[in-house]
């Protein structure tokens, strides 16, 4: 009988090779998922605007083919440094004046005590979104009270306010995420869309298929249909998975765009305190989908102001 003995150096070499594969081919270990290719993106978008935009009759429709096809990488100076040719309307609203936009989108940003990141977000996003030639408005929903941060509840509040302004499309957006590819139009698709499936902190991979947070595009009607998000997830974690469960419960599928359109960069930030009850809330979430959400939303609005770059809603949760 012949035996083979491997030296420690061989084991070390094999381990080195595995590490090289991991770092040079990160997709090998990522969750595989279906996505919409660039040439099919426009056909998947829902062309809806607010009533004031749809009543405009002058001019031609905006053309989005070049923006999608070129898919420029925009996350760089000077777009990250200052507002270029500032023509943003009061309240953080914009629409092109030389053509009629086909999309109206409310970008809803939950916020508390992250002024530097908010400033970075507003500068870059206005530079980015105006080049897409859509109609949009940025709503910043700030939690004023000292209770644990309730991101999902702030999304619910922002959604109801944006729907009151007649926005047919909602983008639920964290303040620390920056889209890198201009071809990813901030408009709603036929299915709710996970927008940031190629995130730098995850090495541009999707950790698991059910991930549905960070930046999400969903029609207002679909958000109402699932009763919004749970109001119970104070602190960090769980609320995005709960939203995904609500969509599944209604047999609503999600979609994603090609990774080359879905690259995002995350700004450095301090982590929120984890919600110790998040696993229990997720486990029994299905029992609360119809009673915990938009129809149980209670809050106090303590401020509402139209700033130059955003609509600011100050609330106690």
């Amino acid at each position: 009988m012949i035996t083979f003995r491997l030296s420690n150096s061989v084991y070390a070499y094999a381990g080195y090779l595995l590490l090289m594969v991991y770092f040079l081919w990160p997709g090998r270990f990522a969750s595989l998922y279906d996505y919409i290719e660039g040439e099919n993106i426009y056909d998947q978008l829902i062309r809806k605007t607010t009533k004031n935009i749809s009543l405009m009759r002058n001019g031609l429709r905006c053309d989005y083919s070049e923006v999608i096809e070129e898919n420029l990488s925009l996350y760089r100076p000077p777009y990250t440094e200052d507002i270029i040719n500032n023509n943003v309307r009061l309240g953080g609203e914009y629409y092109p004046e030389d053509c009629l936009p086909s999309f109206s989108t409310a970008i809803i940003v939950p916020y508390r005590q992250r002024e530097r990141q908010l400033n970075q977000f507003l500068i870059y996003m206005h530079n980015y979104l105006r080049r897409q030639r859509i109609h949009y408005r940025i709503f910043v929903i700030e939690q004023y009270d000292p209770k644990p941060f309730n991101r999902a509840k702030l999304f619910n509040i922002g959604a109801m306010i944006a729907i009151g302004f007649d926005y047919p499309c909602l983008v639920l957006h964290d303040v620390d995420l920056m889209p890198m590819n201009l071809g990813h139009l901030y408009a709603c698709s036929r299915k709710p869309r996970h927008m940031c499936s190629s995130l730098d902190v995850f090495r541009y991979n999707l950790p698991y298929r059910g991930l549905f947070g960070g930046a999400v595009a969903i029609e207002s009607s679909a958000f109402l249909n699932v009763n919004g998000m749970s109001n119970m997830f104070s602190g960090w974690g769980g609320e995005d998975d709960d939203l995904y469960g609500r969509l599944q419960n209604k047999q609503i599928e999600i979609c994603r765009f090609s990774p080359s359109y879905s690259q995002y960069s995350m700004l450095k930030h301090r982590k929120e305190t984890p919600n110790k009850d998040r696993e229990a809330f997720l486990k029994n979430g299905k029992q609360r989908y119809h009673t915990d959400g938009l129809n149980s939303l209670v809050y106090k609005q303590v401020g509402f102001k139209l700033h130059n770059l955003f609509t600011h809603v100050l609330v106690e949760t």
Side-chain angles (χ1 to χ4, degrees):
M1 182 177 178
I2 300 176
T3 60
F4 295 91
R5 293 185 179 180
L6 299 178
S7 66
N8 290 336
S9 61
V10 173
Y11 284 114
Y13 182 71
Y16 175 76
L17 286 178
L18 286 174
L19 284 174
M20 289 294 292
V21 170
Y22 180 79
F23 284 107
L24 296 178
W25 189 16
R28 171 66 180 81
F29 302 93
S31 294
L32 300 178
Y33 58 94
D34 296 328
Y35 53 78
I36 298 167
E37 295 285 2
E39 61 267 24
N40 298 321
I41 284 177
Y42 186 73
D43 290 337
Q44 293 296 319
L45 299 179
I46 298 172
R47 288 172 277 285
K48 279 186 181 179
T49 60
T50 57
K51 291 175 183 175
N52 64 314
I53 295 295
S54 60
L55 289 174
M56 296 178 179
R57 300 299 181 189
N58 298 325
L60 299 174
R61 282 284 174 190
C62 299
D63 182 15
Y64 300 96
S65 58
E66 185 174 319
V67 172
I68 295 175
E69 289 171 9
E70 290 187 354
N71 194 30
L72 296 176
S73 179
L74 209 68
Y75 190 54
R76 52 186 166 80
Y79 307 106
T80 57
E81 296 177 335
D82 202 359
I83 300 287
I84 299 172
N85 299 324
N86 190 353
N87 55 354
V88 179
R89 295 172 178 269
L90 190 65
E93 182 181 17
Y94 171 82
Y95 55 82
E97 296 185 354
D98 60 343
C99 63
L100 297 176
S102 296
F103 312 101
S104 288
T105 302
I107 294 95
I108 300 170
V109 183
Y111 172 78
R112 184 170 66 182
Q113 297 176 345
R114 291 165 75 171
E115 185 175 352
R116 182 180 178 184
Q117 289 186 344
L118 179 61
N119 185 58
Q120 291 176 280
F121 178 86
L122 292 170
I123 287 172
Y124 178 65
M125 290 303 293
H126 280 301
N127 288 331
Y128 175 93
L129 291 168
R130 285 179 298 154
R131 291 192 56 153
Q132 292 193 339
R133 307 179 71 73
I134 65 171
H135 170 222
Y136 70 88
R137 183 169 180 167
I138 296 178
F139 294 84
V140 174
I141 317 299
E142 180 176 3
Q143 183 171 330
Y144 182 66
D145 59 74
K147 292 185 288 186
F149 191 63
N150 195 325
R151 174 175 170 269
K153 192 170 188 178
L154 297 179
F155 276 138
N156 282 343
I157 294 169
M160 295 308 295
I161 291 171
I163 291 170
F165 278 88
D166 193 40
Y167 280 90
C169 175
L170 310 173
V171 171
L172 313 179
H173 210 300
D174 287 344
V175 72
D176 54 19
L177 290 184
M178 305 294 197
M180 302 172 70
N181 312 106
L182 192 62
H184 196 142
L185 287 186
Y186 269 53
C188 281
S189 38
R190 297 177 187 176
K191 299 176 182 178
R193 185 168 80 257
H194 181 222
M195 303 176 73
C196 54
S197 56
S198 187
L199 185 58
D200 59 355
V201 295
F202 296 144
R203 304 178 69 243
Y204 300 105
N205 293 314
L206 183 69
Y208 60 98
R209 292 188 183 186
L211 182 60
F212 195 66
V216 165
I218 183 170
E219 281 193 279
S220 298
S221 57
F223 198 70
L224 290 169
N225 185 28
V226 299
N227 197 24
M229 300 180 72
S230 169
N231 297 309
M232 298 181 66
F233 287 86
S234 296
W236 178 86
E239 67 273 15
D240 295 325
D241 290 336
D242 185 83
L243 175 58
Y244 182 68
R246 289 170 182 246
L247 293 168
Q248 286 188 310
N249 187 58
K250 292 280 189 176
Q251 288 80 51
I252 299 174
E253 296 180 352
I254 68 167
C255 71
R256 296 181 173 94
F257 288 168
S258 164
S260 62
Y261 284 80
S262 304
Q263 292 181 337
Y264 278 68
S265 181
M266 179 179 285
L267 302 175
K268 291 182 180 180
H269 64 282
R270 179 178 57 84
K271 298 289 186 182
E272 292 286 340
T273 303
N275 182 341
K276 59 181 175 54
D277 298 318
R278 64 188 185 277
E279 294 297 335
F281 288 159
L282 283 172
K283 188 174 182 179
N284 61 27
K286 192 172 184 178
Q287 303 170 21
R288 297 179 287 100
Y289 291 162
H290 301 295
T291 57
D292 168 27
L294 296 177
N295 62 4
S296 63
L297 183 61
V298 178
Y299 68 97
K300 179 182 178 182
Q301 182 174 300
V302 296
F304 185 95
K305 185 176 181 180
L306 302 181
H307 291 268
N308 290 333
L309 299 180
F310 63 100
T311 295
H312 184 203
V313 184
L314 191 64
V315 299
E316 291 182 350
T317 59

